Amino acid sequence: MLKSGPGAIALPRSASPLVKAKQLLYAHFERPDLDMTERYLVDFGLVQAMRSENELFMRGTGTAPYIYRVTRGRNARFLGMGLSVPNAEDLERLARRFGSRVERAPGPGGGAVVHLRDPDGVAVHVHHGFVESEPLVVRSQILHNAPSLTVRVNDTQRPKLEPPQVTKLGHLVLETPDFNRSVRWYMDTFGFIPSDVMCLADGTPVGSFTRLDRGSEPTDHHTVFIAMGMESKVDHVAFEVVDLDAVEMGQQVLMAKPYRHAWGVGRHLLGSQIFDYWRDPWGQKHEHYADGDLFDAVQPAGYHLMDRGGLYQWGPDLPDDFIDARMTPARLWRVLKLSIKDKARVKLLLALKNSMARPGRQWQR
């Protein structure tokens, strides 16, 4: 871990956020084929909540009306996310601050919504007053015998070979060309707290795991991870399942389908989740995870070096194509244009790319 001061550059919490987000509700994507999308999501473990000709809403086992929204369109792209806030006054405050308005929310659950855009143009839909769904029955967490504790006698462990039940959308990872601007916007607008900050060798922050501020109530280690990248995009969306067996069973089920495995099974270092990543038919990464860390608002931020080794404690080596750092012609052109007006940021982007590369594959400035 890097030390604050001469090592890592501190990323302070917002002293007075506009509101405090309560929950990450859903991810929103555009897809050209709703049938293909739904087949993948059902195999992944989600359940249809509502569907029309041009919209698909999928839920988990929890009370959120939906955790995944898909709009039919020509492109395969990320459209945005949904958050909730605890009070109707929060919606009014956001609407006044950003020149928006409170509207009736579409889709299951109803309620009210304010539509915002983050500094990179990512849509952030903020909800309140929706009707929660009845939770679905979830199998009990499997108890494991250990040398010091016997919990299963004259019984067996036989989980069904079926898609794992997804309990909720746990987090998503956003990339942005301007890390400082984006992370401050989410912290100042929604009260997100930095849990662990990723830094370059000189201590410059280039990524942050941020969590909800629920005071003394523990919450997931991260809800939104914001990281510097060559463009604005979502790297992956992550869904919680009940235990390690569910993660492994998800891999077993998806391996028998025509989908592409991305990485796993392993255990992350920061957040501690047991993970397994898969790509949907358009290449978008989706994560099954279990057994993540929980922090309350007292826990201070940690500072860590950004490198490949910081991504996991155990598991298969990080595949070369997991982090999409290819210098495509479009990206090279973007970097060249950026170098004319902001050489410092280009230097940071190249340093970030080198920090995640295998030895011997660094880019030279």
Side-chain angles (χ1 to χ4, degrees):
M1 180 182 293
L2 297 175
K3 303 296 184 182
S4 58
I9 300 171
L11 183 65
R13 302 181 184 190
S14 178
S16 182
L18 191 59
V19 301
K20 290 187 177 181
K22 179 181 180 181
Q23 185 179 4
L24 174 63
L25 292 176
Y26 60 85
H28 186 192
F29 288 90
E30 178 182 324
R31 292 288 184 260
D33 189 325
L34 293 190
D35 291 335
M36 185 181 296
T37 304
E38 184 172 2
R39 282 195 297 271
Y40 170 78
L41 294 175
V42 169
D43 289 337
F44 194 80
L46 277 66
V47 178
Q48 187 193 116
M50 189 174 81
R51 180 170 172 174
S52 65
E53 181 180 358
N54 293 310
E55 294 279 353
L56 171 65
F57 298 87
M58 304 292 289
R59 64 168 293 182
T61 63
T63 60
Y66 59 96
I67 61 175
Y68 202 109
R69 178 182 177 185
V70 187
T71 299
R72 187 194 303 274
R74 296 177 59 184
N75 303 305
R77 57 178 179 151
F78 176 66
L79 294 179
M81 74 180 87
L83 299 171
S84 71
V85 288
N87 303 304
E89 292 79 8
D90 293 331
L91 294 186
E92 297 288 351
R93 189 175 299 113
L94 290 167
R96 289 194 300 270
R97 172 63 178 82
F98 293 100
S100 185
R101 57 179 177 161
V102 179
E103 303 178 15
R104 182 178 179 181
V113 64
V114 170
H115 304 290
L116 307 179
R117 293 275 177 181
D118 78 2
D120 289 322
V122 175
V124 182
H125 311 288
V126 189
H127 294 251
H128 176 73
F130 55 86
V131 178
E132 294 186 339
S133 298
E134 286 294 322
L136 304 180
V137 177
V138 181
R139 73 157 172 82
S140 299
Q141 186 176 14
I142 292 176
L143 300 178
H144 298 92
N145 284 328
S148 61
L149 180 65
T150 300
V151 297
R152 194 177 65 254
V153 178
N154 296 332
D155 196 5
T156 59
Q157 186 187 89
R158 301 289 187 270
K160 291 182 179 180
L161 181 59
E162 61 185 6
Q165 295 174 294
V166 167
T167 61
K168 68 178 183 182
L169 171 64
H171 63 264
L172 51 82
V173 174
L174 296 178
E175 292 186 16
T176 171
D178 193 331
F179 167 74
N180 289 327
R181 181 183 64 174
S182 290
V183 74
R184 286 255 56 102
W185 188 85
Y186 281 95
M187 292 167 65
D188 292 342
T189 305
F190 297 111
F192 282 108
I193 299 173
S195 297
D196 284 297
V197 181
M198 308 302 293
C199 303
L200 297 176
D202 66 356
T204 302
V206 290
S208 180
F209 295 87
T210 68
R211 68 186 187 273
L212 300 169
D213 182 356
R214 292 181 178 168
S216 60
E217 178 186 352
T219 187
D220 290 342
H221 170 271
H222 58 284
T223 300
V224 179
F225 177 53
I226 302 168
M228 175 173 276
M230 288 182 281
E231 60 207 349
S232 174
K233 58 177 284 191
V234 64
D235 178 81
H236 70 265
V237 288
F239 300 86
E240 185 182 63
V241 295
V242 295
D243 55 22
L244 169 60
D245 283 87
V247 174
E248 293 279 9
M249 194 61 73
Q251 184 177 101
Q252 192 78 7
V253 169
L254 292 169
M255 277 184 172
K257 303 286 184 175
Y259 308 124
R260 185 156 63 101
H261 190 227
W263 187 30
V265 172
R267 187 184 281 277
H268 282 303
L269 180 64
L270 302 177
S272 303
Q273 302 96 324
I274 294 173
F275 65 83
D276 191 37
Y277 292 88
W278 286 84
R279 296 184 185 271
D280 75 1
W282 294 273
Q284 178 63 57
K285 289 178 292 192
H286 294 68
E287 177 188 4
H288 284 140
Y289 77 88
D291 192 30
D293 293 336
L294 299 174
F295 288 175
D296 62 21
V298 175
Q299 179 72 10
Y303 291 83
H304 311 266
L305 184 67
M306 174 70 91
D307 61 12
R308 296 169 68 92
L311 296 182
Y312 64 111
Q313 301 181 55
W314 56 260
D317 192 18
L318 181 71
D320 287 338
D321 66 348
F322 186 83
I323 297 175
D324 184 12
R326 298 166 298 165
M327 190 56 71
T328 63
R331 285 176 174 169
L332 182 59
W333 177 241
R334 192 177 297 115
V335 170
L336 289 174
K337 289 195 297 183
L338 184 61
S339 67
I340 298 174
K341 60 180 181 180
D342 195 343
K343 292 182 179 180
R345 191 175 303 169
V346 172
K347 183 178 179 180
L348 284 178
L349 286 169
L350 292 178
L352 174 60
K353 187 178 189 300
N354 287 339
S355 73
M356 300 305 296
R358 290 182 185 275
R361 296 186 181 180
Q362 284 80 15
W363 276 64
Q364 301 299 318
R365 290 191 294 272

